Amino acid sequence: MAEQFDLERKWHEMKDHVTKSRKDLNGMSICPFAGAGFAKNEITVHWVKTEMFDKANYLIDNYPADKKLVLCIGDPKDYTLDQLEEWENKNQSKAVKNNLYIYTSYKSEDKQRSDNGPVAGLTSGNKGLAIIQIQTLDDLNKKSEWLHKNTKYYDNWNKKYYDAIVKRRYKDSKYDSEEFEK
């Protein structure tokens, strides 16, 4: 029970970290649409033990129509970063075929392999969770395009991180992103 409480506390700290307005991001948050997504109940969290991959596979085939983001969150003692990334890479093409996209998150110091975070020097705020994020792809690309056209948000991203996250997603989804290429 105490372990679950600790995981949930870490999740709430991470959620606050990514939705907080940042001076370094011209008043935007690390995840600019997350706050609205939570407020509109477009995001759901599934707490998992050792069934994370089974749950995520189920969600790829049975994604809830009213959600923009679904997270499977577990204890990093039950999963390694390599396992999460291997699962992500193995299942990404299936997700894309279902108009979804997968990102994994792990303890920031392990996943980002740096003390300096990739977005304006800020980390993801993940202080000890294993997470599979599954998002609706067309909505994600639409919001990303809006950010490109209307803000300087991506100017704050490390190029390597941008290429690994945004550019890779555009390529995987065959999204025409030429006007946005960095």
Side-chain angles (χ1 to χ4, degrees):
M1 186 72 163
E3 285 182 4
Q4 183 64 30
F5 175 79
D6 189 46
L7 293 175
E8 289 181 24
R9 179 187 52 77
K10 288 176 182 179
W11 162 242
H12 287 289
E13 288 173 3
M14 181 179 171
K15 182 177 154 185
D16 290 343
H17 177 79
V18 301
T19 59
K20 177 180 167 184
S21 176
R22 305 282 179 166
K23 182 178 74 171
D24 301 4
L25 294 170
N26 299 316
M28 298 178 80
S29 61
I30 294 171
C31 295
F33 297 100
F38 284 112
K40 294 177 183 177
N41 197 30
E42 297 174 336
I43 300 170
T44 194
V45 173
H46 294 277
W47 290 97
V48 297
K49 299 288 185 193
T50 57
E51 77 281 5
M52 181 181 288
F53 300 124
D54 291 337
K55 183 66 171 180
N57 283 324
Y58 174 83
L59 288 164
I60 289 173
D61 291 329
N62 302 281
Y63 197 81
D66 62 335
K67 300 300 176 188
K68 302 293 184 195
L69 171 64
V70 176
L71 301 110
C72 296
I73 304 178
D75 193 324
K77 291 185 290 188
D78 297 326
Y79 301 94
T80 66
L81 174 58
D82 288 340
Q83 286 174 314
L84 290 178
E85 290 179 340
E86 181 181 323
W87 183 89
E88 176 184 345
N89 292 329
K90 179 180 170 189
N91 291 281
Q92 195 68 267
S93 64
K94 181 180 179 183
V96 169
K97 287 177 187 169
N98 290 350
N99 189 35
L100 301 170
Y101 208 74
I102 303 165
Y103 292 111
T104 55
S105 180
Y106 203 72
K107 298 178 284 186
S108 295
E109 63 274 9
D110 294 348
K111 178 83 174 177
Q112 293 165 194
R113 296 175 177 89
S114 169
D115 288 339
N116 293 332
V119 178
L122 302 165
T123 69
S124 68
N126 187 341
K127 295 179 182 171
L129 300 168
I131 303 174
I132 293 176
Q133 304 172 138
I134 306 171
Q135 295 180 264
T136 53
L137 184 56
D138 59 350
D139 181 67
L140 186 57
N141 282 340
K142 183 173 110 179
K143 288 174 177 169
S144 182
E145 182 176 340
W146 186 91
L147 288 170
H148 275 290
K149 287 181 176 180
N150 297 291
T151 73
K152 295 185 181 291
Y153 173 73
Y154 288 117
D155 291 352
N156 297 297
W157 281 45
N158 165 297
K159 180 173 175 15
K160 185 177 175 184
Y161 187 71
Y162 177 89
D163 290 349
I165 301 293
V166 180
K167 204 168 182 177
R168 177 181 147 213
R169 180 184 73 239
Y170 286 164
K171 180 178 67 76
D172 287 350
S173 64
K174 312 264 188 294
Y175 182 75
D176 180 12
S177 63
E178 239 179 79
E179 69 180 288
F180 307 125
E181 295 301 313
K182 286 179 101 174

